[in-house]
Amino acid sequence: MTCLNNGNPHTVVPLPEVPAALAHEVGPLISGHPAFPERTNVQFMRVLDRETVEIEIWEHGAGYTLASGSSACAAASAAHALGLVDHAIRVRMPGGAFETAIDAQGAITLSGASEQVAAGFLAPRLRAGLGLPAAPDTPAPATETSRPTTGASAAQGAAA
């Protein structure tokens, strides 16, 4: 295994096969191991050829993860440091692929497509608890002084 930090800690484990079940089963054991008091993200990596690796990811704060830019960079950097790949590496993950390039000084660049997969809003109480301002397009929560509109029952008014 190769341990590195590219802004957050990563542990890359090269293997001949990287089934998703392995990430689910062994990922949390490595991530939370006492050798990593701050915890670590884990990438199980299979080298396909000098230009391509595939990974399965267990992130210490999120669990099983379909794709991650920092994990792709960690896997490419580890594979390159081990002499398993050249300078341009495609990193395949269940959620998509990234292209990486490592220069002569070891700096890595990442490129690839991205797409929005979800959108949402933080509840006003959570925003307040995090010290964030109220969202401008979020309706104010109903208070006990709220009254139903004319002709509506109390239950309808509270739900409106």
Side-chain angles (χ1 to χ4, degrees):
M1 78 177 45
T2 299
C3 300
L4 58 106
N5 190 317
N6 61 4
N8 51 15
H10 291 271
T11 301
V12 181
V13 183
L15 296 167
E17 297 294 328
V18 289
L22 181 68
H24 286 277
E25 184 180 337
V26 181
L29 301 175
I30 295 172
S31 178
H33 191 278
F36 305 106
E38 302 292 321
R39 303 194 65 194
T40 185
N41 296 316
V42 183
Q43 296 78 39
F44 298 94
M45 176 183 70
R46 176 181 175 207
V47 177
L48 301 177
D49 57 43
R50 299 284 307 167
E51 300 169 340
T52 314
V53 300
E54 65 181 10
I55 61 174
E56 289 286 344
I57 306 163
W58 182 269
E59 289 188 345
H60 67 81
Y64 181 73
T65 302
L66 296 176
S68 164
S70 67
S71 288
C73 289
S77 295
H80 186 261
L82 294 169
L84 303 173
V85 295
D86 297 324
H87 293 279
I89 306 112
R90 180 173 181 79
V91 181
R92 297 185 349 195
M93 300 161 281
F98 287 120
E99 305 295 329
T100 63
I102 302 174
D103 69 17
Q105 290 74 39
I108 189 166
T109 58
L110 174 74
S111 60
S114 65
E115 65 182 77
Q116 182 174 336
V117 295
F121 296 95
L122 298 177
R125 279 184 56 192
L126 178 58
R127 291 183 67 81
L130 294 171
L132 299 172
D137 57 350
T138 303
T143 63
E144 297 214 11
T145 58
S146 296
R147 300 283 181 240
T149 57
T150 305
S153 72
Q156 291 170 326

